[in-house]
Amino acid sequence: MTYWLKSTTVSLLMLFAQKIWATTEVEILHWWTSAGEVRAVNELKAAMASVGYQWIDSSVRGGGGETAMTVLKSRVLAANPPLAAQIKGKEIQEWARLGFLSNLSSVSQEQRWSSRLPAFVTEIMQHNGKFVAVPFNIHKVNWIWLNKDVFRKYNLPVPTSWTMLNEVATKLQAKGVTPIALSNQAWQQAIIFEIVALGIGGNEFYRKAFVENDIDTLESQKMIQVLKQFKRLSVYYDDEAQGRDWDAATEMVIEGRAAMQIMGDWTKGEFLAAGKVAGVDFACIPAPGTQDSFIYNIDSFVMFDVQNAEKQKAQIELAKIIMTPDFQKAFNLRKGSIPVRNDVPLDQFDECAQLSHQSLTAAAKNGNLLPSYTQYMATTSDTGGAIYEVITAFFKDPSMTPETAAHRLVAVVKAAMGN
């Protein structure tokens, strides 16, 4: 065989092999669709492509994930699950108990996840002592995001109490600036309620109300105070909030059409995608009264139990990539969160990430790490959804009293718990 023929044959075989290798598909169902989220998930697409997998994107718009979960349930019932899906918190345990999830013990042992993850993360990702989900990050929920130019223009102080925040918001409103960027979507309003509850009620109040679902706490005088401040904020968003997604609300702050947003640090991913710099264009401050606390949210993927060997291999490769230090760094630099691995250096992360990490470390030591109920870290979608409905109804209805809302909270939580 001539050199030319040998060379051509080898080239053709290599091209054929590459074509076969690249046709292994990984279909992922998720709800990462905002600008910052897309930048982050593109890191995973590129990493999977580098080892020969074709990414099939099944993204479902909706920041809270409710629509994605509806789609996922219908797919699973039709015996057509994706290779992997974004599922979080208590929902992981629900799916695992039903027997739908793959056991990730082989890759978790190989990469020593248990020694490289915080204990509270490991607990969420395991079912019956075995890993059934792989985590991406840790988000801090109890932030307020400020447009620094707006605050400079009107010479306003950074609010350090809820009373002060009310005063600042009133002044902004008088200047024709929307004080708080928000939507009428239930999950966005519920996050504000969750943050106000921690800020006014404190750690033990929050834990009893949203982790333990303690009935006495839910209808206590402290809850009435929380509901009053929460209702006070309902006058500070604009008249065009109908159906606005969370990232559109963030865009208002980025552009200076609104001054603040009360939201988790996935918000920062939108600022970064817009080319803004932490500490220069925007500021991240702990919500009033929550300086010593950390409400957490953790993004994670589960792998569905499949019999196909190639798909099983792809699932292991996906989980392995997510937990590598390089990917953890690249993904979280774009997502706005901090790496979930405890051995990833943060020297290239901005001041908001540094503050988040310091807050996480301190809260873990003093017992003030708290799961977000709005993000299903503390409760299932049934109980969380029931609370959403009461909170959003109270926020929108000027005639509903805090006492009525508290009684309804008790009723829906009892019903969700089967009492």
Side-chain angles (χ1 to χ4, degrees):
M1 184 180 291
T2 66
Y3 173 80
W4 176 86
L5 186 56
K6 285 182 180 179
S7 178
T8 303
T9 302
V10 169
S11 297
L12 287 171
L13 286 172
M14 288 178 66
L15 286 171
F16 179 73
Q18 288 173 359
K19 185 175 180 182
I20 294 297
W21 187 44
T23 55
T24 303
E25 298 178 346
V26 288
E27 184 194 4
I28 314 296
L29 191 147
H30 62 90
W31 60 88
W32 287 329
T33 57
S34 73
E37 290 170 335
V38 168
R39 289 177 75 229
V41 81
N42 280 345
E43 293 291 335
L44 186 54
K45 292 181 183 180
M48 289 300 287
S50 72
V51 291
Y53 291 98
Q54 181 183 354
W55 182 281
I56 305 298
D57 200 81
S58 293
S59 57
V60 181
R61 182 77 180 172
E66 294 90 348
T67 306
M69 288 301 94
T70 300
V71 171
L72 179 61
K73 288 172 185 175
S74 66
R75 291 274 308 266
V76 172
L77 288 173
N80 182 35
L83 189 81
Q86 184 182 2
I87 296 178
K88 301 191 301 182
K90 296 290 185 180
E91 298 290 288
I92 295 171
Q93 306 303 317
E94 294 291 314
W95 285 91
R97 275 193 287 270
L98 293 171
F100 289 118
L101 305 186
S102 294
N103 181 353
L104 301 176
S105 292
S106 61
V107 64
S108 65
Q109 290 169 6
E110 177 186 342
Q111 293 184 310
R112 296 187 292 157
W113 292 3
S114 292
S115 64
R116 288 169 171 160
L117 294 174
F120 76 97
V121 176
T122 294
E123 183 179 350
I124 294 168
M125 300 299 133
Q126 288 186 337
H127 178 70
N128 290 337
K130 297 177 180 178
F131 279 95
V132 293
V134 54
F136 283 81
N137 54 12
I138 300 175
H139 278 296
K140 181 176 177 178
V141 175
N142 49 306
W143 286 115
I144 296 181
W145 303 88
L146 310 179
N147 181 304
K148 295 198 74 170
D149 284 341
V150 172
F151 272 73
R152 290 189 197 106
K153 179 178 180 179
Y154 297 108
N155 194 28
L156 294 170
V158 172
T160 56
S161 69
W162 291 106
T163 299
M164 192 175 177
L165 188 145
N166 295 341
E167 292 170 354
V168 167
T170 300
K171 290 177 181 178
L172 284 163
Q173 205 166 42
K175 300 290 186 181
V177 178
T178 299
I180 300 173
L182 189 58
S183 162
N184 67 344
Q185 292 177 343
W187 76 273
Q188 293 188 52
Q189 294 171 5
I191 279 184
I192 293 180
F193 173 66
E194 159 175 284
I195 293 171
V196 172
L198 175 61
I200 291 178
N203 296 289
E204 190 58 27
F205 171 86
Y206 180 97
R207 190 175 283 108
K208 280 187 166 295
F210 303 122
V211 180
E212 300 174 14
N213 297 134
D214 179 71
I215 300 304
D216 290 339
T217 303
L218 290 171
E219 57 183 356
S220 65
Q221 283 304 305
K222 185 65 73 175
M223 181 60 78
I224 300 301
Q225 293 177 36
V226 169
L227 287 163
K228 285 180 178 178
Q229 173 56 38
F230 175 63
K231 190 64 160 275
R232 183 75 177 85
L233 299 177
S234 68
V235 302
Y236 292 133
Y237 70 101
D238 62 300
D239 295 331
E240 298 178 3
Q242 182 72 26
R244 177 186 293 142
D245 285 326
W246 71 270
D247 52 319
T250 306
E251 187 177 350
M252 293 174 64
V253 183
I254 292 171
E255 296 176 351
R257 293 181 287 120
M260 298 176 279
Q261 186 176 22
I262 304 172
M263 183 66 70
D265 53 17
W266 47 91
T267 298
K268 190 182 71 173
E270 304 309 299
F271 281 96
L272 299 179
K276 303 301 181 182
V277 178
V280 177
D281 303 301
F282 66 94
C284 51
I285 63 168
T290 74
Q291 291 86 342
D292 298 326
S293 306
F294 192 109
I295 301 178
Y296 63 81
N297 175 36
I298 303 166
D299 288 313
S300 53
F301 275 2
V302 300
M303 315 295 168
F304 285 92
D305 192 18
V306 293
Q307 301 305 311
N308 182 286
E310 283 300 314
K311 288 185 176 182
Q312 290 174 352
K313 182 180 177 183
Q315 288 177 328
I316 294 299
E317 195 65 46
L318 177 62
K320 188 180 295 185
I321 284 173
I322 291 169
M323 279 294 290
T324 59
D326 286 347
F327 174 78
Q328 285 276 312
K329 176 181 173 182
F331 180 88
N332 286 288
L333 279 170
R334 287 153 182 76
K335 187 66 161 57
S337 43
I338 57 176
V340 72
R341 281 184 60 140
N342 54 29
D343 59 350
V344 177
L346 299 180
D347 53 298
Q348 294 185 29
F349 284 73
D350 61 34
E351 65 180 51
C352 292
Q354 300 287 347
L355 288 170
S356 181
H357 182 260
Q358 292 167 18
S359 176
L360 174 69
T361 302
K365 287 181 179 178
N366 62 27
N368 293 339
L369 267 180
L370 301 164
S372 170
Y373 94 83
T374 64
Q375 302 302 300
Y376 306 134
M377 295 291 118
T379 187
T380 63
S381 58
D382 290 339
T383 304
I387 295 174
Y388 279 18
E389 291 180 10
V390 173
I391 290 309
T392 194
F394 173 66
F395 198 71
K396 295 174 184 177
D397 184 355
S399 67
M400 189 186 298
T401 66
E403 290 77 11
T404 298
H407 290 317
R408 291 187 182 180
L409 275 177
V410 169
V412 298
V413 168
K414 280 183 175 180
M417 296 173 64
N419 295 333

